[in-house]
Amino acid sequence: MTSSGQTWKVGPLAEASGLTVRTLHHWDQIGLLSPSRRTASGHRAYTEQDVVRLYQILALRRLGLGLETIATCLDAGVDPQRLVREHLAATEASLAALHTLHERLTHLHTELAAERSPGTADLLRLLQAVGGTGPAADEALRRHLDEDQLHALADHAAALGPAAHYLLEVEWPQLYRRAEELRSAGTDPADPRVRRIADRLDELSRLFSGGDTTLSAAVRTAWREDPAAMSGDPAAPADAWADLRTFLDHARRAS
């Protein structure tokens, strides 16, 4: 691996990486990792850049990310080193957050076991524990979601467990940052990189809403009308994400 022009056939690369040839073929078929060069005899071969991507894939897999998420991160231009650094920081924060979440879930369980319905304040405290929302975001959600929707949102977020913190605090903001970079650079919304980001954002939305389109719409309304509260940035103008939202909507229509 010392020559900039060195290439690897699938068998030797599989052996060197501890993977199977079948795995590499599968990753090629789904577009996660494909050999980008052909030898003089016409055989497909992996280059050093392909091997670098392979290392990134394996590193992100060890963090527990799925193949679709990894593909989105790498193809959208997410810096894997930054992602790992932020994930480590998020993991440390989640250790403390899990203790708080445990206490609040225990309280809710006690209330339900005693056949007492938890109040809105209890549900908002649970949302704060699993989703990192602050008091201002709690109030924004209260304005746009009814009691049943608050129950549903809390249930879906709690079902994700510690992953909720990572998805909300690391991956989701990173996807938005990358989308804004592409928009600012004048990228066509139909560009596959933008469409992949929009698809992943929609997938995350479904995870937290359980596929409930009414609930998703209510949360989007909260973000649109109260961006300062929902983002935790008191300086955020009312139209802070208008251009980016339009850009991503164009990408969705293109796909």
Side-chain angles (χ1 to χ4, degrees), residues 124 128 133-141 229:
L124 290 174
Q128 184 175 358
T133 61
D138 291 346
E139 289 300 319
L141 288 171

Short mmCIF file of all heavy atoms in Angstrom, two decimals, residues 124 128 133-141 229:
data_model
loop_
_atom_site.label_atom_id
_atom_site.label_comp_id
_atom_site.label_asym_id
_atom_site.label_seq_id
_atom_site.Cartn_x
_atom_site.Cartn_y
_atom_site.Cartn_z
N LEU A 124 -43.31 16.38 28.99
CA LEU A 124 -42.32 17.32 28.47
C LEU A 124 -40.96 17.09 29.13
O LEU A 124 -39.92 17.22 28.49
CB LEU A 124 -42.79 18.76 28.68
CG LEU A 124 -43.97 19.17 27.79
CD1 LEU A 124 -44.45 20.57 28.16
CD2 LEU A 124 -43.59 19.13 26.31
N GLN A 128 -37.57 16.14 27.16
CA GLN A 128 -36.32 16.84 27.40
C GLN A 128 -35.21 15.84 27.68
O GLN A 128 -34.07 16.00 27.23
CB GLN A 128 -36.47 17.81 28.57
CG GLN A 128 -35.23 18.67 28.82
CD GLN A 128 -35.48 19.69 29.92
OE1 GLN A 128 -36.57 19.79 30.47
NE2 GLN A 128 -34.46 20.46 30.23
N THR A 133 -34.31 18.62 24.39
CA THR A 133 -35.00 19.88 24.22
C THR A 133 -34.90 20.69 25.50
O THR A 133 -34.77 20.16 26.60
CB THR A 133 -36.48 19.65 23.89
OG1 THR A 133 -37.10 18.94 24.97
CG2 THR A 133 -36.65 18.85 22.62
N GLY A 134 -34.98 22.00 25.35
CA GLY A 134 -34.94 22.89 26.50
C GLY A 134 -36.33 23.39 26.81
O GLY A 134 -37.30 23.07 26.13
N PRO A 135 -36.46 24.25 27.86
CA PRO A 135 -37.77 24.75 28.25
C PRO A 135 -38.48 25.50 27.12
O PRO A 135 -39.69 25.36 26.95
CB PRO A 135 -37.43 25.70 29.42
CG PRO A 135 -36.14 25.17 29.96
CD PRO A 135 -35.39 24.65 28.77
N ALA A 136 -37.73 26.30 26.34
CA ALA A 136 -38.37 27.05 25.25
C ALA A 136 -38.93 26.10 24.20
O ALA A 136 -40.03 26.31 23.67
CB ALA A 136 -37.36 28.01 24.61
N ALA A 137 -38.18 25.03 23.89
CA ALA A 137 -38.67 24.05 22.93
C ALA A 137 -39.89 23.31 23.49
O ALA A 137 -40.82 22.98 22.74
CB ALA A 137 -37.56 23.05 22.57
N ASP A 138 -39.87 23.04 24.80
CA ASP A 138 -41.04 22.42 25.41
C ASP A 138 -42.29 23.25 25.18
O ASP A 138 -43.35 22.73 24.83
CB ASP A 138 -40.82 22.27 26.93
CG ASP A 138 -39.75 21.24 27.27
OD1 ASP A 138 -39.38 20.46 26.37
OD2 ASP A 138 -39.29 21.23 28.42
N GLU A 139 -42.16 24.56 25.38
CA GLU A 139 -43.30 25.45 25.21
C GLU A 139 -43.75 25.49 23.75
O GLU A 139 -44.95 25.52 23.45
CB GLU A 139 -42.95 26.87 25.70
CG GLU A 139 -42.80 26.99 27.20
CD GLU A 139 -44.07 26.60 27.93
OE1 GLU A 139 -45.18 26.97 27.46
OE2 GLU A 139 -44.00 25.90 28.96
N ALA A 140 -42.78 25.46 22.82
CA ALA A 140 -43.12 25.47 21.40
C ALA A 140 -43.88 24.20 21.03
O ALA A 140 -44.88 24.25 20.31
CB ALA A 140 -41.86 25.60 20.56
N LEU A 141 -43.42 23.06 21.53
CA LEU A 141 -44.11 21.80 21.25
C LEU A 141 -45.51 21.80 21.86
O LEU A 141 -46.46 21.31 21.26
CB LEU A 141 -43.30 20.62 21.81
CG LEU A 141 -42.02 20.27 21.06
CD1 LEU A 141 -41.21 19.24 21.84
CD2 LEU A 141 -42.32 19.76 19.66
N ALA A 229 -36.86 28.93 19.46
CA ALA A 229 -37.14 28.06 20.60
C ALA A 229 -36.69 26.64 20.34
O ALA A 229 -36.03 26.01 21.16
CB ALA A 229 -38.64 28.08 20.92
#
